[in-house]
Amino acid sequence: MDFMITGNFDGYSSFSGIYKNLDSNKFKLLKDSIVPVFRSSVEWGDYNNDNYMDIVLSGSLLEYPSLTQYTKIYSNNKGLAFSEITINIAQADEGAISWGDYNNDGNLDILQSGLSEWGDVFTNLYKNYGNGYIVNQAAI
């Protein structure tokens, strides 16, 4: 099983790394285009039902001395690389983001909570209609 780590390691820069399992307890850091974040939440799930695990990621971009909220989906390109998916999703940090199928239609939806760029706490539910199109159902 592969895994991903995000975080801040020196106070001035952040990190996002995907480690591929090479078997026999050896892992390789993939050189990928996942944006480095910290104060983050990340989860694997197959949102487009292509049998490859995709990533949903939410956190802070550290552009010293400022912070920017960041939330994206990265689609797994058949195990070779990840592509950022453009969707209308709230930018957040210091929260949690998770896949789940709340309406039992076979498509992974997103539950997101966190702080907005104005410091407001929010929770949103995004429905996946099965064609990669995810729509905010309502602020909870």
Side-chain angles (χ1 to χ4, degrees):
M1 178 178 282
D2 303 335
F3 66 94
M4 182 171 179
I5 296 174
T6 63
N8 177 303
F9 56 88
D10 64 5
Y12 299 99
S13 56
S14 50
F15 174 80
S16 293
I18 298 171
Y19 290 83
K20 180 148 185 75
N21 186 345
L22 302 175
D23 296 325
S24 66
N25 297 322
K26 293 183 182 178
F27 294 88
K28 176 183 178 183
L29 176 62
L30 299 180
K31 302 296 182 201
D32 218 301
S33 59
I34 305 294
V35 172
V37 296
F38 73 111
R39 299 188 330 187
S40 54
S41 179
V42 61
E43 188 164 307
W44 297 83
D46 185 11
Y47 91 100
N48 54 4
N49 294 320
D50 65 356
N51 295 318
Y52 291 94
M53 298 299 279
D54 308 301
I55 295 169
V56 63
L57 171 70
S58 185
S60 291
L61 299 175
L62 181 58
E63 298 166 344
Y64 190 79
S66 64
L67 300 175
T68 303
Q69 285 77 13
Y70 180 85
T71 305
K72 295 290 180 191
I73 292 175
Y74 287 92
S75 181
N76 187 331
N77 301 323
K78 300 184 185 286
L80 302 174
F82 289 86
S83 299
E84 185 178 301
I85 302 301
T86 302
I87 63 166
N88 187 15
I89 191 167
Q91 303 303 298
D93 70 351
E94 293 193 56
I97 196 155
S98 184
W99 301 104
D101 185 9
Y102 81 93
N103 58 353
N104 295 316
D105 66 356
N107 299 311
L108 289 180
D109 309 300
I110 296 174
L111 181 64
Q112 175 194 36
S113 66
L115 294 177
S116 73
E117 64 183 299
W118 304 280
D120 298 322
V121 176
F122 71 92
T123 301
N124 289 331
L125 177 63
Y126 297 90
K127 179 179 166 130
N128 180 348
Y129 284 93
N131 58 1
Y133 189 65
I134 299 174
V135 176
N136 188 358
Q137 293 301 288
I140 298 173

